Amino acid sequence: MADDTSLTEDQIDLAALNDDDLVAQMHDDIYDGLADEISEGVRILLDRGWEAQKVLNTALVEGMRIVGVDFRDGILFVPEVLMSANAMKAGMAVLQPLLSASNAPRIGKIVIGTVKGDIHDIGKNLVAMMMEGAGFEVVDLGINQSVDDYLAALEEHKPDILGMSALLTTTMPYMKAVIDALTEKGLRSDYIVLVGGAPVNQEFADAIGADGYGRDAATAVEIALEQMSHRQGSIIAADV
C-alpha cells in the first residue's frame, strides 16, 4: 500500500522547487486561491533566507497584480478574486509579524469605508483586499460611516488616501459631504480621495472634487498607485 503522506499526481512538492520556480508556482497558487500552498511557500522562502519584504513584493504582491489585471479585463470575476485575496491574506498572516518587527516600508496607507446610510460592503472589501495585496496598509472602517467617523479615522491613522464607497444612488451625495467637511477644515489637500461603487462614475467623481474614481477594484489600485507616485514626486520636488 502506498504511503498516505506521499504526493498525489496533481500535487507539487514546493520545497523541491528552486526559488524562481517556487515564486512562479506561488503566483499560480494565488491565482487559484490556494491558501495553504501560499502559507507553505512563504515559509519555505523565509527558511531559505529571503527577507519578509522581498517575499511580500516578489511572491505575493506580484501574484495579486496578475489577478488584478485579469479581473480588470473580465477574465476573472468577484468569487475568484476573493479566493485569491484570501490566499494572499494567508501568506500575509505569516509575514505580518516579521514586517512589523522590521518596520518595513509600505507603499502607503489608506482608510476606506462605505458612506453613511449604505450597508453594502462586498465591493469595498474587495478593494481593501486588493489594496493590501498591492502593498498598502489598509484601515477598513466598515459600513455606514458618517463625516465624523471619517474625520476621526483620518486624525487617528494619518493615511495618504481616503477611500469611500457607495452602492445606492441615495447615498452617493454623502461622499461630497465628506469632501466638503475636509475642505472646510483646511484638510482637503492632505489626502488623496478616491471614490467608487456601482452607481458612481467619473463625471460624478469630478463633480464632487474627488481625486480619482475606481470602476472596479483593480482600477482603484492602479489609480491609488498612480496618485501616490505623483504625490511622492511632488514631495521630493518640494524638498529639492
Side-chain angles (χ1 to χ4, degrees), residues 9 29 33 41 61 85 88 99 106 122 132 148 154 158 165 172 212 219 225 239:
E9 290 184 3
D29 289 344
V61 171
M88 165 84 184
L99 293 170
R106 303 300 296 269
I122 292 178
E132 188 170 19
D148 289 341
L154 294 175
K158 302 292 191 296
S165 173
M172 285 170 56
T219 304
L225 292 171
D239 289 341

Side-chain angles (χ1 to χ4, degrees), residues 31-97:
Y31 196 94
D32 293 334
L34 304 179
D36 291 343
E37 285 79 354
I38 290 301
S39 295
E40 181 184 355
V42 167
R43 291 189 176 94
I44 291 171
L45 289 174
L46 291 173
D47 288 343
R48 293 179 180 179
W50 282 46
E51 294 184 357
Q53 188 69 37
K54 182 179 179 182
V55 177
L56 172 64
N57 292 336
T58 305
L60 303 188
V61 171
E62 176 60 17
M64 280 303 293
R65 185 195 67 79
I66 296 168
V67 169
V69 170
D70 278 4
F71 178 58
R72 180 198 64 200
D73 293 343
I75 298 170
L76 292 177
F77 299 95
V78 170
E80 291 94 339
V81 176
L82 289 175
M83 289 179 63
S84 295
N86 284 332
M88 165 84 184
K89 290 180 71 174
M92 284 298 298
V94 179
L95 291 177
Q96 196 61 60

